[in-house]
Amino acid sequence: VSDRLPYPEDAPFHEAVFLRCNTEHHVMSIFGLRDAPEPPKDPRAPRPGLHHFAFEVATFEDLQRAARYVKEHGIPLQGMRSGGPGSQLRVYFWDPEDNMIELFWAMDHVGWDGATREYPPIEPVDLESFDVDAWLSWKGPEFVPSPAGTRAG
């Protein structure tokens, strides 16, 4: 277990638990529903089962391009966020079968001691106007651009 994220009383989830099997902050997240509701009529509503699939992209620019593509092609955007356990930048959208997809970049890594950093609150962001350089200076040297001009992470 890397981290636990309690949700407010009015949220459909009571807690998320973030699990790792290597140095990435998490490779699986488990979200506990407050109540086991009747099957929802809206396939995008919180429900038992798979919450979302997540895929890592190589660069911040790749994440921006993906967000642009989603918007330009009318794909239902669920949100763009920073903060929370793992402190990665991410974009969420719905695929044609109403599965939520997450694309993320620059997730925290966990060292030999198993300690994770205190994470900032989850916040919506606009990846087009996001100050990635300021964020990277907070994030740490492992995510700063390499001499070749590409960002590590």
Side-chain angles (χ1 to χ4, degrees):
V1 173
S2 296
D3 273 307
R4 294 176 175 272
L5 173 69
Y7 281 88
E9 290 293 323
D10 61 344
F13 304 108
H14 66 87
E15 181 181 47
V17 178
F18 297 83
L19 306 168
R20 70 180 182 278
C21 64
N22 54 28
T23 62
E24 289 185 352
H25 180 276
H26 60 276
V27 297
M28 180 189 282
S29 306
I30 300 172
F31 295 80
L33 285 170
R34 286 198 185 281
D35 301 305
E38 294 296 316
K41 295 187 185 352
D42 178 357
R44 297 177 185 168
R47 63 189 181 275
L50 180 70
H51 186 265
H52 69 274
F53 293 99
F55 302 94
E56 183 175 17
V57 298
T59 67
F60 176 68
E61 292 77 14
D62 289 341
L63 193 61
Q64 285 180 309
R65 273 192 292 283
R68 271 187 230 119
Y69 184 92
V70 165
K71 290 179 193 176
E72 290 168 1
H73 288 83
I75 298 168
L77 181 66
Q78 197 276 345
M80 294 182 278
R81 299 190 184 95
S82 69
S87 300
Q88 72 276 23
L89 291 175
R90 55 207 181 271
V91 59
Y92 298 95
F93 56 92
W94 298 98
D95 77 5
E97 296 178 353
D98 287 324
N99 297 297
M100 191 186 315
I101 306 296
E102 172 189 354
L103 299 179
F104 70 91
W105 174 69
M107 182 182 296
D108 279 354
H109 283 247
V110 178
W112 63 269
D113 63 356
T116 60
R117 79 166 95 205
E118 186 174 331
Y119 54 84
I122 297 170
E123 295 181 337
V125 297
D126 178 354
L127 293 174
E128 289 301 321
S129 61
F130 188 74
D131 186 349
V132 71
D133 292 323
W135 184 78
L136 285 169
S137 75
W138 167 81
K139 188 78 170 156
E142 67 270 25
F143 297 103
V144 173
S146 70
T150 59
R151 298 189 194 281

